[in-house]
Amino acid sequence: MFKQIDGIIQAGYRVASGNTESSPYPKGTIEMQTPFFKELGLDLSAFFPGTLNINISPNEFELISPQYTFRNVRWAEGFPPEDFSFTPCQIIYQNQSFESLVYYPHPETKIGHFQNPSIVEVIAPLIPDMKYGDRITLRISTDEIRILEK
């Protein structure tokens, strides 16, 4: 079964894309992680090497049975390994649908990183003209993600 939920594109830490000066990952985390995920069976090459932060507030979400979970991924030298999960989703923007993936770095393995539980991080193809503040609809599988309506 599928569920649609409205959200707003919001600025994130800009570490995933490498577009922040304070990042210890100059290429961006997604570009650095992509070869590791490909080796584990998930090819991200069709997607933009960054994430969209979709605010679904006041609602929150939790992964219940993601399609992909990778444990102990050692993708950056000098940093501890992390766990990641991915689940397919769709972004609906300006009457177009874009096949995407919810990207979930498990917070219990990501030291010093806080993510608001109302923010869904999504890896998507480059979507022309999308900008912060734009409203989108996120279509998710209720078998893989639970929306906690507040």
Side-chain angles (χ1 to χ4, degrees):
M1 229 170 117
F2 293 91
K3 179 178 184 80
Q4 292 189 172
I5 186 160
D6 293 330
I8 298 173
I9 300 298
Q10 176 177 306
Y13 297 109
R14 300 178 63 157
V15 174
S17 63
N19 288 329
T20 183
E21 292 178 16
S22 62
S23 174
Y25 317 107
K27 287 184 174 181
T29 59
I30 302 301
E31 187 174 327
M32 291 175 67
Q33 293 165 357
T34 293
F36 294 92
F37 296 137
K38 185 172 185 174
E39 188 174 299
L40 293 166
L42 179 61
D43 186 358
L44 300 179
S45 62
F47 301 105
F48 178 79
T51 61
L52 292 172
N53 292 276
I54 301 170
N55 189 332
I56 60 168
S57 180
N59 302 311
E60 297 178 357
F61 79 101
E62 69 179 5
L63 293 184
I64 51 176
S65 183
Q67 186 168 336
Y68 300 94
T69 296
F70 305 121
R71 303 247 180 237
N72 295 310
V73 179
R74 188 172 295 281
W75 62 272
E77 199 166 312
F79 292 89
E82 296 178 55
D83 296 348
F84 296 90
S85 290
F86 297 85
T87 187
C89 65
Q90 289 179 331
I91 292 175
I92 302 166
Y93 176 68
Q94 296 183 342
N95 299 316
Q96 292 184 7
S97 179
F98 300 89
E99 297 296 325
S100 305
L101 291 168
V102 170
Y103 167 80
Y104 188 77
H106 290 241
E108 65 274 13
T109 64
K110 194 157 187 69
I111 297 168
H113 177 77
F114 170 76
Q115 186 67 289
N116 180 327
S118 292
I119 301 293
V120 182
E121 274 190 281
V122 174
I123 295 177
L126 186 61
I127 301 174
D129 302 323
M130 183 178 276
K131 61 190 177 311
Y132 299 136
D134 283 352
R135 296 187 175 278
I136 61 97
T137 299
L138 184 63
R139 186 171 190 253
I140 54 102
S141 166
T142 55
D143 293 335
E144 297 186 37
I145 297 178
R146 179 179 298 128
I147 300 297
L148 308 169
E149 297 185 18
K150 303 281 178 162

